[in-house]
Amino acid sequence: MSQQLQSRRLRQPIVVVLGHVDHGKTTLLDKIRGTAVVKKEPGEMTQEVGASFVPTSVIEKIAEPLKKTFPIKLEIPGLLFIDTPGHELFSNLRRRGGSVADIAILVVDIVEGFQKQTYESLEILRSRKVPFLVAANKIDRIPGWKPIDTYSLLESIKSQRKDVQTQLDNYVYRLVGQLAELGFNADRFDRIRDFTKTVAIVPVSAKTGEGIAELLALLAGLTQNYMKTKLRFAEGPAKGVILEVKELQGLGYTIDVIIYDGILKKNDTIIIGGLNGPIVTKVRSILVPKPLQDIKVVKTDLTQIDEVYAAAGVKIYAPELENALAGSPLFVAENEQQVEEYKKIIQEEIASVKYYNANIAGIVVKADSLGSLEAIVEGLKQKNIPIRLADIGPITKKDITEAELTLQEAKEYGIIAAFRVKPLQGIEIPNSIKLIYSEIIYQLIDDIEKYITEVRESEKRRTLDSLILPGKFRLIPGYVFRRSDPVIVGVEVLGGIIRPKFPVMKKDGKRVGEILQIQDNKKSVDRATKGMEVAVSIKGNIMVGRQIDEGEILYTDVPKEDLEILLTKYKDIITDDMKEVIKEIINIKRVNDPTYALGLKV
Ligand code: GDP
């Protein structure tokens, strides 16, 4: 073993795949895994849980045609790919403000270009400070592209028609442009001088395999050249992160862990995060899939091993794992003092993600793992959505109480957002609270946003609907249809708005009655605005020719409170003509009430 250790000065970099749905993440991973299985020598592959190892020998074989272009001697033992692509698992690969992933492949459909989740992936990579390269996938879909039987893009390009090569470049430069807009310098990988300053774009086809050689060579070359310190292998006790917690039939609860540093041994004491605080337990078994001869064999048959070296993906069986938290760190402690130290670190880390503030009228967020909760909270913060409570685990009575308290203050935030968690048995969510559930982080955030907007809009409509708004109109001479009880006249709206039920006053402030109905071309309408000529019926103890005259100008009689709400909450609906009407109404009302609209800005 010591010999093996000496030759393993650097550990294998951990690689994740992110990108928009259907852009080919799964296909790409399958292609890489499949190729590795075909190219390996017996005994070269290690078996992993939740990840796939591609040894250096395989990378070198695949990249053979590139020897002249990329003369790198690989010192890393290979690459460890996380099997499940996308945000959800990536968020559990957390490590103190960063990520356990050393590098990411951002998959973009070269024809479709950047899409919603491409942007979201970039955002999450940026916030976790993970370097990445872009796999511009599906080059075989470029019109005229003739797939060549090679893993090398540069080899394939040589046999493509000139116009197809130009088309490929056009697509690549569109991606360069989209990345530039986000502040990233990018270029096709073979035109890059300084990889520390420029994001590499590798055109690939996950379907035909073209470009896989360059992709693997770059992943290996970049990590090895620029991350030596991070990849240096420590021979000490293991450090890792819990990817998933799973119940195995006949065995009980297990955790799938990515070990990113050190050595994990059977019987090691581990400290991990739990639903109710740190868990200290002893590793009963380290499980990996049985070596497989064929990629098609499903990785379900497990076998025990005594120890494992970083980087690796393994399943751990130990007592007391039922409350283990995905996304939590895992540490091996060698003595009591370390146990206490790590307990404290884990406690602090959990506390840094959870959140509660009884003074905030905000939403309640519940998630199944530390990583997903962290990603959701980050996403909500970016959208300025206030949070009252953010926690891990099923929905409880307390969550409902908190959401109800929020509801009293801000209706739009009366939400319980649930990510892959359900209410505890027997808990019913009241109708007044909106339960938003999703298994996709960004879907959840989108749905929350949508709901908040909807409630706001409807609240606004409701209150606006009940407000008496400023309006000014003139009785058109010669258009008196009925002189009294009720008065029916033709009017021209001079400014603002008039609606049924609005009280009406004269220029001297005297109330004349209330609008009953408005008709436009014999059809009943619920409003009339500046410039419109409509028929209006007014209920009141008045008669045209006595209290009011043809040609007279009337105003809506806007109560003080309504004007105040309008000027503070709905400023955006005030048109220029309404503004003038408001000023005139204020002058009329001030005669009898000097405090009318006092201190308000028009
Ligand atoms: P994911 O959602 O990002 O994991 O995307 P998938 O890997 O499931 O791929 C989505 C679809 O695109 C599937 O029908 C794939 O067969 C197809 N696809 C993926 N890669 C390629 C490619 O390189 N070329 C072509 N023509 N189709 C591809």
Side-chain angles (χ1 to χ4, degrees):
M1 199 48 75
S2 65
Q3 207 181 2
Q4 191 193 350
L5 270 183
Q6 267 171 11
S7 66
R8 292 187 50 162
R9 284 179 19 248
L10 299 177
R11 65 166 171 84
Q12 48 279 66
I14 298 167
V15 188
V16 292
V17 177
L18 292 180
H20 192 71
V21 62
D22 280 348
H23 279 196
K25 301 180 292 292
T26 313
T27 314
L28 182 66
L29 273 166
D30 283 348
K31 191 75 188 179
I32 292 170
R33 279 190 294 242
T35 309
V37 171
V38 174
K39 295 277 174 179
K40 75 171 169 79
E41 302 292 335
E44 256 182 352
M45 303 281 283
T46 60
Q47 295 304 309
E48 316 278 338
V49 171
S52 296
F53 178 61
V54 178
T56 288
S57 60
V58 167
I59 300 173
E60 280 171 348
K61 256 182 240 164
I62 298 174
E64 177 72 27
L66 306 175
K67 258 205 165 135
K68 275 188 224 124
T69 346
F70 288 108
I72 27 166
K73 175 88 198 76
L74 288 187
E75 294 168 55
I76 52 168
L79 295 165
L80 188 72
F81 288 86
I82 300 294
D83 275 343
T84 313
H87 296 53
E88 277 58 41
L89 224 61
F90 175 77
S91 64
N92 276 346
L93 282 168
R94 51 190 302 290
R95 178 182 174 186
R96 287 239 153 158
S99 174
V100 164
D102 296 297
I103 192 164
I105 304 174
L106 182 65
V107 177
V108 188
D109 183 322
I110 196 165
V111 179
E112 281 197 2
F114 270 55
Q115 298 295 323
K116 191 155 183 287
Q117 286 160 286
T118 324
Y119 290 105
E120 289 165 357
S121 302
L122 258 184
E123 208 40 63
I124 192 167
L125 289 173
R126 211 202 294 246
S127 80
R128 302 271 170 119
K129 301 180 192 77
V130 180
F132 64 95
L133 50 78
V134 173
N137 192 29
K138 307 196 187 183
I139 51 170
D140 60 288
R141 282 181 59 204
I142 295 174
W145 187 273
K146 289 221 169 60
I148 307 293
D149 185 19
T150 170
Y151 288 115
S152 162
L153 172 83
L154 295 179
E155 233 179 44
S156 174
I157 285 182
K158 274 189 255 160
S159 25
Q160 304 297 330
R161 284 199 324 253
K162 271 272 159 325
D163 63 304
V164 177
Q165 292 184 20
T166 310
Q167 193 53 39
L168 171 69
D169 263 347
N170 291 344
Y171 279 127
V172 167
Y173 280 105
R174 187 174 61 162
L175 293 180
V176 169
Q178 286 175 323
L179 282 155
E181 276 171 28
L182 300 167
F184 291 102
N185 235 331
D187 209 340
R188 202 169 94 177
F189 68 98
D190 51 327
R191 296 167 184 154
I192 294 176
R193 290 245 174 88
D194 184 349
F195 282 95
T196 60
K197 296 205 175 87
T198 317
V199 173
I201 300 175
V202 192
V204 299
S205 167
K207 197 170 157 191
T208 68
E210 291 157 293
I212 300 287
E214 282 87 350
L215 187 68
L216 291 177
L218 269 173
L219 285 170
L222 292 179
T223 46
Q224 169 173 306
N225 283 353
Y226 302 110
M227 293 174 201
K228 276 230 165 82
T229 331
K230 200 177 172 198
L231 296 179
R232 204 152 311 274
F233 178 78
E235 288 177 32
K239 292 192 174 113
V241 65
I242 303 178
L243 263 193
E244 285 183 280
V245 183
K246 285 182 182 158
E247 192 176 3
L248 274 200
Q249 255 191 350
L251 190 59
Y253 280 89
T254 63
I255 47 177
D256 291 357
V257 171
I258 298 293
I259 304 289
Y260 61 82
D261 199 12
I263 309 163
L264 178 75
K265 300 193 182 99
K266 196 175 162 177
N267 291 326
D268 271 350
T269 299
I270 54 171
I271 298 103
I272 56 172
L275 258 180
N276 313 310
I279 299 168
V280 183
T281 184
K282 240 188 170 93
V283 176
R284 283 269 171 83
S285 21
I286 304 172
L287 301 160
V288 293
K290 286 207 175 113
L292 34 106
Q293 302 310 316
D294 186 341
I295 187 71
K296 287 187 207 88
V297 176
V298 199
K299 290 182 179 183
T300 46
D301 270 356
L302 297 167
T303 177
Q304 288 200 37
I305 52 173
D306 289 334
E307 56 182 13
V308 65
Y309 294 73
V314 292
K315 188 181 272 301
I316 294 176
Y317 171 64
E320 289 179 71
L321 291 182
E322 61 272 17
N323 283 329
L325 266 189
S328 145
L330 172 146
F331 297 110
V332 168
E334 294 184 305
N335 53 51
E336 252 327 289
Q337 194 194 336
Q338 280 185 356
V339 169
E340 290 311 312
E341 277 169 26
Y342 285 134
K343 267 167 86 171
K344 208 171 144 231
I345 290 177
I346 287 180
Q347 226 148 15
E348 281 168 6
E349 229 175 296
I350 295 175
S352 75
V353 177
K354 284 187 181 188
Y355 179 83
Y356 176 61
N357 187 338
N359 294 321
I360 290 182
I363 73 169
V364 172
V365 187
K366 296 299 292 266
D368 69 332
S369 79
L370 205 56
S372 51
L373 187 67
E374 187 175 43
I376 294 163
V377 167
E378 269 169 30
L380 291 171
K381 275 190 186 151
Q382 268 175 25
K383 310 240 166 182
N384 286 322
I385 297 171
I387 300 166
R388 183 182 181 94
L389 173 82
D391 206 346
I392 299 147
I395 299 163
T396 62
K397 193 93 195 36
K398 177 178 163 63
D399 300 327
I400 294 173
T401 312
E402 295 299 333
E404 275 171 340
L405 286 169
T406 288
L407 202 60
Q408 288 168 14
E409 284 186 51
K411 198 155 180 241
E412 69 266 41
Y413 300 135
I415 297 172
I416 296 178
F419 181 77
R420 297 188 183 187
V421 292
K422 297 252 155 69
L424 267 183
Q425 202 154 31
I427 298 274
E428 287 245 354
I429 314 262
N431 279 339
S432 53
I433 294 171
K434 175 75 177 175
L435 175 69
I436 299 178
Y437 177 89
S438 183
E439 306 211 337
I440 299 166
I441 291 176
Y442 284 91
Q443 187 65 50
L444 186 74
I445 295 172
D446 275 0
D447 290 351
I448 294 169
E449 232 189 343
K450 227 182 270 160
Y451 177 77
I452 291 172
T453 317
E454 263 169 33
V455 174
R456 277 209 188 123
E457 288 294 315
S458 91
E459 285 286 282
K460 197 164 160 179
R461 240 178 289 125
R462 243 205 6 231
T463 356
L464 248 184
D465 272 353
S466 65
L467 281 189
I468 293 162
L469 298 169
K472 176 183 179 184
F473 58 99
R474 186 174 72 103
L475 274 56
I476 307 170
Y479 284 88
V480 180
F481 307 112
R482 204 177 151 130
R483 294 208 168 262
S484 70
D485 204 19
V487 168
I488 302 178
V489 284
V491 308
E492 178 194 358
V493 182
L494 302 174
I497 184 171
I498 58 170
R499 304 189 61 190
K501 294 212 173 77
F502 280 12
V504 177
M505 64 179 179
K506 286 161 68 94
K507 245 187 170 141
D508 60 5
K510 274 210 183 86
R511 176 75 69 94
V512 294
E514 189 183 290
I515 296 175
L516 270 184
Q517 227 193 46
I518 303 174
Q519 284 197 351
D520 187 11
N521 280 325
K522 303 215 167 79
K523 262 202 220 118
S524 221
V525 292
D526 85 325
R527 66 193 60 211
T529 50
K530 185 182 155 78
M532 287 172 74
E533 292 188 353
V534 290
V536 168
S537 56
I538 302 170
K539 188 178 76 178
N541 221 350
I542 47 161
M543 191 184 269
V544 181
R546 293 254 178 97
Q547 291 83 359
I548 52 170
D549 291 312
E550 294 181 35
E552 185 166 340
I553 288 172
L554 299 175
Y555 293 85
T556 56
D557 191 353
V558 182
K560 205 168 163 175
E561 299 74 32
D562 292 42
L563 187 68
E564 192 176 321
I565 295 171
L566 175 69
L567 287 174
T568 48
K569 269 177 86 178
Y570 303 113
K571 257 198 136 63
D572 50 322
I573 71 139
I574 300 177
T575 52
D576 286 345
D577 56 285
M578 186 186 282
K579 208 182 218 167
E580 289 313 308
V581 177
I582 294 173
K583 285 181 190 158
E584 291 173 38
I585 292 178
I586 291 175
N587 284 335
I588 297 171
K589 300 292 282 186
R590 283 256 170 99
V591 175
N592 288 321
D593 179 3
T595 67
Y596 189 89
L598 201 67
L600 289 177
K601 240 186 103 227
V602 183

